[in-house]
mmCIF file of all heavy atoms in Angstrom:
data_model
loop_
_atom_site.group_PDB
_atom_site.id
_atom_site.type_symbol
_atom_site.label_atom_id
_atom_site.label_comp_id
_atom_site.label_asym_id
_atom_site.label_seq_id
_atom_site.Cartn_x
_atom_site.Cartn_y
_atom_site.Cartn_z
ATOM 1 N N LYS A 79 -2.943 -0.864 8.449
ATOM 2 C CA LYS A 79 -4.185 -0.867 7.663
ATOM 3 C C LYS A 79 -5.160 -1.852 8.284
ATOM 4 O O LYS A 79 -4.749 -2.940 8.736
ATOM 5 C CB LYS A 79 -3.853 -1.249 6.216
ATOM 6 C CG LYS A 79 -5.030 -1.147 5.243
ATOM 7 C CD LYS A 79 -4.563 -1.443 3.819
ATOM 8 C CE LYS A 79 -5.687 -1.299 2.803
ATOM 9 N NZ LYS A 79 -5.221 -1.547 1.411
ATOM 10 N N ALA A 128 -10.508 -3.085 0.651
ATOM 11 C CA ALA A 128 -9.416 -2.623 -0.225
ATOM 12 C C ALA A 128 -9.858 -2.413 -1.669
ATOM 13 O O ALA A 128 -9.044 -2.380 -2.584
ATOM 14 C CB ALA A 128 -8.201 -3.564 -0.156
ATOM 15 N N MET A 129 -11.167 -2.260 -1.862
ATOM 16 C CA MET A 129 -11.678 -2.049 -3.222
ATOM 17 C C MET A 129 -11.911 -0.568 -3.465
ATOM 18 O O MET A 129 -12.941 -0.021 -3.067
ATOM 19 C CB MET A 129 -12.975 -2.826 -3.416
ATOM 20 C CG MET A 129 -12.746 -4.317 -3.284
ATOM 21 S SD MET A 129 -14.290 -5.204 -3.271
ATOM 22 C CE MET A 129 -13.702 -6.860 -2.915
ATOM 23 N N GLY A 130 -10.956 0.053 -4.108
ATOM 24 C CA GLY A 130 -11.104 1.470 -4.402
ATOM 25 C C GLY A 130 -9.767 2.170 -4.519
ATOM 26 O O GLY A 130 -8.711 1.570 -4.281
ATOM 27 N N SER A 131 -9.815 3.424 -4.893
ATOM 28 C CA SER A 131 -8.599 4.195 -5.153
ATOM 29 C C SER A 131 -8.614 5.530 -4.428
ATOM 30 O O SER A 131 -7.801 6.400 -4.718
ATOM 31 C CB SER A 131 -8.473 4.463 -6.659
ATOM 32 O OG SER A 131 -8.658 3.267 -7.374
ATOM 33 N N GLY A 153 -6.224 5.515 -2.568
ATOM 34 C CA GLY A 153 -6.677 4.316 -1.859
ATOM 35 C C GLY A 153 -6.116 3.086 -2.526
ATOM 36 O O GLY A 153 -5.439 3.186 -3.532
ATOM 37 N N SER A 154 -6.323 1.981 -1.911
ATOM 38 C CA SER A 154 -7.189 1.835 -0.765
ATOM 39 C C SER A 154 -6.491 2.078 0.581
ATOM 40 O O SER A 154 -7.180 2.264 1.589
ATOM 41 C CB SER A 154 -7.810 0.440 -0.763
ATOM 42 O OG SER A 154 -6.812 -0.555 -0.637
ATOM 43 N N SER A 173 -1.637 -2.481 2.103
ATOM 44 C CA SER A 173 -1.696 -3.636 1.201
ATOM 45 C C SER A 173 -2.017 -3.125 -0.186
ATOM 46 O O SER A 173 -2.613 -2.064 -0.344
ATOM 47 C CB SER A 173 -2.745 -4.647 1.665
ATOM 48 O OG SER A 173 -4.040 -4.146 1.409
ATOM 49 N N ASP A 174 -1.566 -3.893 -1.177
ATOM 50 C CA ASP A 174 -1.660 -3.447 -2.562
ATOM 51 C C ASP A 174 -2.086 -4.631 -3.418
ATOM 52 O O ASP A 174 -1.439 -5.675 -3.416
ATOM 53 C CB ASP A 174 -0.279 -2.918 -2.985
ATOM 54 C CG ASP A 174 -0.261 -2.242 -4.341
ATOM 55 O OD1 ASP A 174 -0.806 -2.823 -5.295
ATOM 56 O OD2 ASP A 174 0.325 -1.146 -4.456
ATOM 57 N N THR A 175 -3.186 -4.455 -4.132
ATOM 58 C CA THR A 175 -3.708 -5.497 -5.008
ATOM 59 C C THR A 175 -3.596 -5.051 -6.463
ATOM 60 O O THR A 175 -3.356 -5.852 -7.360
ATOM 61 C CB THR A 175 -5.175 -5.803 -4.634
ATOM 62 O OG1 THR A 175 -5.226 -6.142 -3.252
ATOM 63 C CG2 THR A 175 -5.755 -6.934 -5.451
ATOM 64 N N GLY A 176 -3.770 -3.737 -6.650
ATOM 65 C CA GLY A 176 -3.657 -3.178 -7.992
ATOM 66 C C GLY A 176 -3.073 -1.770 -7.954
ATOM 67 O O GLY A 176 -3.088 -1.060 -8.962
ATOM 68 N N GLY A 177 -2.621 -1.363 -6.769
ATOM 69 C CA GLY A 177 -2.051 -0.011 -6.651
ATOM 70 C C GLY A 177 -2.258 0.615 -5.287
ATOM 71 O O GLY A 177 -1.874 1.756 -5.049
ATOM 72 N N SER A 178 -2.866 -0.125 -4.383
ATOM 73 C CA SER A 178 -3.348 0.442 -3.118
ATOM 74 C C SER A 178 -2.299 0.916 -2.127
ATOM 75 O O SER A 178 -2.640 1.587 -1.160
ATOM 76 C CB SER A 178 -4.256 -0.566 -2.422
ATOM 77 O OG SER A 178 -5.540 -0.442 -2.960
ATOM 78 N N ILE A 179 -1.026 0.587 -2.345
ATOM 79 C CA ILE A 179 0.032 1.194 -1.544
ATOM 80 C C ILE A 179 0.624 2.358 -2.342
ATOM 81 O O ILE A 179 0.804 3.465 -1.832
ATOM 82 C CB ILE A 179 1.157 0.181 -1.226
ATOM 83 C CG1 ILE A 179 0.673 -0.843 -0.199
ATOM 84 C CG2 ILE A 179 2.416 0.893 -0.735
ATOM 85 C CD1 ILE A 179 1.651 -1.968 0.084
ATOM 86 N N PHE A 206 -8.498 -10.135 -0.547
ATOM 87 C CA PHE A 206 -9.323 -9.478 -1.566
ATOM 88 C C PHE A 206 -9.162 -10.313 -2.838
ATOM 89 O O PHE A 206 -10.051 -11.062 -3.216
ATOM 90 C CB PHE A 206 -8.864 -8.023 -1.700
ATOM 91 C CG PHE A 206 -9.266 -7.279 -2.949
ATOM 92 C CD1 PHE A 206 -10.207 -7.769 -3.846
ATOM 93 C CD2 PHE A 206 -8.702 -6.028 -3.226
ATOM 94 C CE1 PHE A 206 -10.560 -7.050 -4.997
ATOM 95 C CE2 PHE A 206 -9.061 -5.307 -4.361
ATOM 96 C CZ PHE A 206 -9.968 -5.827 -5.250
ATOM 97 N N TYR A 309 -7.509 -6.914 -15.136
ATOM 98 C CA TYR A 309 -7.565 -6.789 -13.672
ATOM 99 C C TYR A 309 -9.008 -6.814 -13.183
ATOM 100 O O TYR A 309 -9.327 -7.480 -12.193
ATOM 101 C CB TYR A 309 -6.882 -5.484 -13.232
ATOM 102 C CG TYR A 309 -7.003 -5.213 -11.752
ATOM 103 C CD1 TYR A 309 -6.067 -5.719 -10.856
ATOM 104 C CD2 TYR A 309 -8.074 -4.464 -11.238
ATOM 105 C CE1 TYR A 309 -6.186 -5.477 -9.487
ATOM 106 C CE2 TYR A 309 -8.201 -4.223 -9.882
ATOM 107 C CZ TYR A 309 -7.264 -4.727 -9.011
ATOM 108 O OH TYR A 309 -7.386 -4.503 -7.658
ATOM 109 N N TYR A 310 -9.895 -6.098 -13.885
ATOM 110 C CA TYR A 310 -11.282 -6.022 -13.412
ATOM 111 C C TYR A 310 -12.109 -7.261 -13.749
ATOM 112 O O TYR A 310 -13.299 -7.294 -13.500
ATOM 113 C CB TYR A 310 -11.940 -4.709 -13.851
ATOM 114 C CG TYR A 310 -11.532 -3.627 -12.859
ATOM 115 C CD1 TYR A 310 -10.468 -2.779 -13.128
ATOM 116 C CD2 TYR A 310 -12.139 -3.556 -11.614
ATOM 117 C CE1 TYR A 310 -10.042 -1.860 -12.180
ATOM 118 C CE2 TYR A 310 -11.717 -2.647 -10.664
ATOM 119 C CZ TYR A 310 -10.674 -1.793 -10.952
ATOM 120 O OH TYR A 310 -10.258 -0.907 -9.998
ATOM 121 N N ALA A 313 -9.473 -9.710 -10.518
ATOM 122 C CA ALA A 313 -9.610 -9.308 -9.103
ATOM 123 C C ALA A 313 -11.047 -9.535 -8.602
ATOM 124 O O ALA A 313 -11.227 -10.140 -7.536
ATOM 125 C CB ALA A 313 -9.148 -7.865 -8.909
ATOM 126 N N ARG A 357 -18.347 -5.582 -7.279
ATOM 127 C CA ARG A 357 -17.261 -6.530 -7.563
ATOM 128 C C ARG A 357 -17.740 -7.972 -7.459
ATOM 129 O O ARG A 357 -17.352 -8.824 -8.250
ATOM 130 C CB ARG A 357 -16.102 -6.331 -6.584
ATOM 131 C CG ARG A 357 -15.540 -4.936 -6.499
ATOM 132 C CD ARG A 357 -14.671 -4.598 -7.674
ATOM 133 N NE ARG A 357 -14.242 -3.210 -7.588
ATOM 134 C CZ ARG A 357 -12.981 -2.818 -7.329
ATOM 135 N NH1 ARG A 357 -12.043 -3.710 -7.172
ATOM 136 N NH2 ARG A 357 -12.667 -1.542 -7.263
ATOM 137 N N TYR A 421 -11.626 3.628 -11.668
ATOM 138 C CA TYR A 421 -10.744 2.500 -12.010
ATOM 139 C C TYR A 421 -9.523 2.990 -12.800
ATOM 140 O O TYR A 421 -8.430 2.453 -12.671
ATOM 141 C CB TYR A 421 -11.492 1.442 -12.841
ATOM 142 C CG TYR A 421 -12.637 0.746 -12.124
ATOM 143 C CD1 TYR A 421 -13.492 -0.117 -12.823
ATOM 144 C CD2 TYR A 421 -12.869 0.935 -10.770
ATOM 145 C CE1 TYR A 421 -14.545 -0.762 -12.181
ATOM 146 C CE2 TYR A 421 -13.920 0.297 -10.128
ATOM 147 C CZ TYR A 421 -14.759 -0.547 -10.837
ATOM 148 O OH TYR A 421 -15.803 -1.185 -10.215
ATOM 149 N N ASP A 424 -5.883 3.806 -11.509
ATOM 150 C CA ASP A 424 -4.855 2.776 -11.295
ATOM 151 C C ASP A 424 -4.169 2.336 -12.579
ATOM 152 O O ASP A 424 -3.478 1.317 -12.589
ATOM 153 C CB ASP A 424 -5.494 1.543 -10.647
ATOM 154 C CG ASP A 424 -6.005 1.852 -9.267
ATOM 155 O OD1 ASP A 424 -5.220 2.364 -8.462
ATOM 156 O OD2 ASP A 424 -7.193 1.604 -8.995
ATOM 157 N N LEU A 428 -1.717 -1.163 -12.214
ATOM 158 C CA LEU A 428 -2.363 -2.480 -12.321
ATOM 159 C C LEU A 428 -1.461 -3.544 -12.939
ATOM 160 O O LEU A 428 -1.396 -4.676 -12.449
ATOM 161 C CB LEU A 428 -3.647 -2.372 -13.154
ATOM 162 C CG LEU A 428 -4.785 -1.555 -12.542
ATOM 163 C CD1 LEU A 428 -5.910 -1.389 -13.545
ATOM 164 C CD2 LEU A 428 -5.299 -2.213 -11.267
HETATM 165 N N1 LIG B 501 -8.072 0.460 -6.911
HETATM 166 C C1 LIG B 501 -7.916 -0.925 -7.258
HETATM 167 C C2 LIG B 501 -9.214 -1.646 -6.948
HETATM 168 O O1 LIG B 501 -10.125 -1.007 -6.604
HETATM 169 C C3 LIG B 501 -6.786 -1.531 -6.493
HETATM 170 C C4 LIG B 501 -7.096 -1.675 -5.058
HETATM 171 C C5 LIG B 501 -5.992 -2.356 -4.300
HETATM 172 O O2 LIG B 501 -4.840 -2.362 -4.716
HETATM 173 N N2 LIG B 501 -6.372 -2.982 -3.195
HETATM 174 O O3 LIG B 501 -9.315 -2.817 -7.027
#
Side-chain angles (χ1 to χ4, degrees):
K79 186 176 182 178
M129 297 172 186
S131 311
S154 63
S173 73
D174 188 312
T175 305
S178 276
I179 288 174
F206 162 12
Y309 175 88
Y310 277 97
R357 305 284 176 110
Y421 296 172
D424 295 307
L428 293 173

